[in-house]
Coordinates of all heavy atoms in Angstrom, one line a residue:
Y1 N 0.9 -1.2 0.0 CA 0.0 0.0 0.0 C 0.9 1.2 0.0 O 1.8 1.4 0.9 CB -0.9 0.0 1.2 CG -1.9 1.2 1.4 CD1 -3.1 1.1 0.7 CD2 -1.5 2.3 2.1 CE1 -4.0 2.2 0.8 CE2 -2.4 3.3 2.2 CZ -3.7 3.3 1.6 OH -4.5 4.3 1.7
I2 N 0.7 2.1 -1.0 CA 1.5 3.4 -1.1 C 0.6 4.5 -0.6 O -0.4 4.8 -1.3 CB 2.0 3.6 -2.5 CG1 2.8 2.5 -3.0 CG2 2.8 4.9 -2.5 CD1 3.2 2.6 -4.5
A3 N 1.0 5.2 0.5 CA 0.3 6.4 0.9 C 1.0 7.6 0.4 O 2.1 7.9 0.9 CB 0.2 6.4 2.5
Y4 N 0.5 8.2 -0.6 CA 1.1 9.3 -1.3 C 0.6 10.6 -0.6 O -0.5 11.1 -1.0 CB 0.9 9.3 -2.8 CG 1.3 10.5 -3.6 CD1 2.4 11.2 -3.2 CD2 0.6 10.9 -4.7 CE1 2.8 12.4 -3.9 CE2 0.9 12.0 -5.4 CZ 2.0 12.8 -5.0 OH 2.4 13.9 -5.8
T5 N 1.4 11.2 0.3 CA 1.0 12.4 1.0 C 1.3 13.7 0.3 O 0.7 14.7 0.6 CB 1.6 12.4 2.4 OG1 3.0 12.7 2.3 CG2 1.4 11.1 3.2
G6 N 2.3 13.6 -0.6 CA 2.8 14.8 -1.3 C 4.3 14.8 -1.4 O 4.9 13.8 -1.3
G7 N 4.8 16.0 -1.6 CA 6.3 16.1 -1.7 C 6.8 16.2 -3.2 O 6.0 16.0 -4.1
T8 N 8.0 16.4 -3.3 CA 8.7 16.6 -4.6 C 8.4 15.4 -5.6 O 8.3 15.6 -6.8 CB 10.2 16.8 -4.4 OG1 10.4 18.0 -3.6 CG2 10.9 17.0 -5.7
I9 N 8.4 14.2 -5.1 CA 8.4 13.0 -5.9 C 7.3 13.0 -7.0 O 7.4 12.6 -8.1 CB 8.4 11.7 -5.1 CG1 8.7 10.5 -6.0 CG2 7.1 11.6 -4.3 CD1 9.0 9.2 -5.2
G10 N 6.1 13.6 -6.6 CA 5.0 13.6 -7.6 C 4.7 14.9 -8.3 O 3.6 15.0 -8.9
M11 N 5.6 15.8 -8.1 CA 5.4 17.2 -8.7 C 5.5 17.2 -10.2 O 6.2 16.4 -10.8 CB 6.3 18.2 -8.0 CG 5.9 18.5 -6.6 SD 6.8 19.9 -5.9 CE 6.1 20.0 -4.3
M12 N 4.9 18.2 -10.8 CA 4.9 18.4 -12.3 C 5.5 19.8 -12.6 O 5.3 20.7 -11.8 CB 3.5 18.3 -12.8 CG 3.3 18.5 -14.3 SD 1.6 18.2 -14.8 CE 0.8 19.6 -14.1
R13 N 6.2 19.9 -13.7 CA 6.8 21.1 -14.0 C 5.8 22.1 -14.5 O 4.8 21.7 -15.3 CB 7.9 20.9 -15.2 CG 8.6 22.2 -15.5 CD 9.5 22.0 -16.7 NE 10.7 21.1 -16.4 CZ 11.8 21.5 -15.8 NH1 11.9 22.7 -15.4 NH2 12.8 20.6 -15.6
S14 N 5.9 23.3 -14.1 CA 5.0 24.4 -14.6 C 5.8 25.6 -14.9 O 7.0 25.6 -14.7 CB 3.9 24.7 -13.5 OG 4.5 25.6 -12.5
A15 N 5.1 26.7 -15.4 CA 5.8 27.9 -15.7 C 6.4 28.6 -14.5 O 7.3 29.4 -14.6 CB 4.8 28.9 -16.4
H16 N 5.9 28.2 -13.3 CA 6.4 28.7 -12.0 C 7.2 27.7 -11.2 O 7.4 27.9 -10.0 CB 5.2 29.2 -11.2 CG 4.3 30.2 -11.9 ND1 4.7 31.5 -12.2 CD2 3.1 30.0 -12.5 CE1 3.7 32.1 -12.9 NE2 2.7 31.2 -13.1
G17 N 7.8 26.7 -11.9 CA 8.6 25.7 -11.2 C 7.7 24.5 -10.9 O 6.6 24.3 -11.5
Y18 N 8.2 23.6 -10.1 CA 7.5 22.3 -9.8 C 6.4 22.6 -8.9 O 6.5 23.3 -7.9 CB 8.5 21.3 -9.2 CG 9.5 20.7 -10.2 CD1 10.8 21.0 -10.1 CD2 9.0 20.0 -11.3 CE1 11.7 20.5 -11.1 CE2 9.9 19.5 -12.3 CZ 11.3 19.8 -12.1 OH 12.2 19.3 -13.0
V19 N 5.2 22.0 -9.2 CA 4.0 22.2 -8.4 C 3.3 20.8 -8.2 O 3.5 19.9 -9.0 CB 3.0 23.1 -9.1 CG1 3.6 24.5 -9.1 CG2 2.6 22.6 -10.4
P20 N 2.6 20.6 -7.0 CA 1.8 19.4 -6.9 C 0.7 19.3 -7.9 O 0.2 20.3 -8.3 CB 1.2 19.6 -5.5 CG 1.9 20.7 -4.8 CD 2.5 21.6 -5.9
A21 N 0.5 18.1 -8.4 CA -0.5 17.9 -9.5 C -1.3 16.6 -9.2 O -0.7 15.5 -9.4 CB 0.2 17.9 -10.8
P22 N -2.5 16.7 -8.8 CA -3.3 15.4 -8.5 C -3.3 14.5 -9.7 O -3.5 15.0 -10.9 CB -4.7 16.0 -8.2 CG -4.5 17.4 -7.7 CD -3.3 17.9 -8.5
G23 N -3.1 13.2 -9.5 CA -3.1 12.2 -10.6 C -1.8 12.1 -11.3 O -1.6 11.1 -12.1
F24 N -0.9 13.0 -11.2 CA 0.3 13.0 -12.1 C 1.3 11.9 -11.7 O 1.9 11.3 -12.6 CB 1.0 14.4 -12.0 CG 2.2 14.5 -12.9 CD1 2.0 14.5 -14.3 CD2 3.5 14.7 -12.4 CE1 3.1 14.6 -15.2 CE2 4.5 14.8 -13.3 CZ 4.3 14.8 -14.7
L25 N 1.4 11.6 -10.4 CA 2.3 10.6 -10.0 C 1.9 9.2 -10.5 O 2.7 8.4 -11.1 CB 2.5 10.5 -8.5 CG 3.4 9.4 -8.0 CD1 4.9 9.7 -8.3 CD2 3.3 9.2 -6.4
A26 N 0.6 8.9 -10.4 CA 0.1 7.6 -10.9 C 0.3 7.5 -12.4 O 0.7 6.5 -13.0 CB -1.4 7.5 -10.6
E27 N 0.1 8.6 -13.1 CA 0.2 8.7 -14.6 C 1.7 8.4 -14.9 O 2.0 7.7 -15.9 CB -0.2 10.0 -15.1 CG -0.2 10.2 -16.6 CD -0.6 11.7 -16.9 OE1 -1.6 12.2 -16.4 OE2 0.2 12.3 -17.7
S28 N 2.6 9.1 -14.2 CA 4.0 8.9 -14.4 C 4.5 7.5 -14.2 O 5.3 6.9 -15.0 CB 4.9 9.8 -13.5 OG 4.5 11.2 -13.7
M29 N 4.0 6.8 -13.1 CA 4.4 5.5 -12.9 C 3.9 4.5 -13.9 O 4.6 3.5 -14.3 CB 3.9 5.0 -11.5 CG 4.5 5.7 -10.3 SD 3.8 5.3 -8.7 CE 4.4 3.6 -8.5
Q30 N 2.7 4.8 -14.5 CA 2.1 3.9 -15.5 C 3.0 3.9 -16.8 O 3.0 2.9 -17.5 CB 0.7 4.3 -15.8 CG -0.3 3.9 -14.8 CD -1.6 4.6 -14.9 OE1 -1.9 5.4 -15.8 NE2 -2.4 4.4 -13.9
G31 N 3.8 5.0 -17.0 CA 4.7 5.0 -18.1 C 6.0 4.5 -17.9 O 6.9 4.6 -18.7
M32 N 6.2 3.9 -16.7 CA 7.6 3.3 -16.3 C 7.4 1.8 -16.1 O 7.0 1.4 -15.1 CB 8.1 4.0 -15.0 CG 8.3 5.5 -15.2 SD 8.9 6.3 -13.7 CE 9.2 7.9 -14.3
P33 N 7.8 1.0 -17.1 CA 7.6 -0.5 -17.0 C 8.4 -1.1 -15.9 O 8.0 -2.2 -15.4 CB 8.1 -1.0 -18.4 CG 9.0 0.1 -18.9 CD 8.4 1.4 -18.4

């Protein structure tokens, strides 16, 4: 069970630097075999 509370690991690049983005970590992992 992975409890994803936040932090840099799941952030997405934006025009203002890295920001939290709901759903982005799961999407990133799905692209990593």
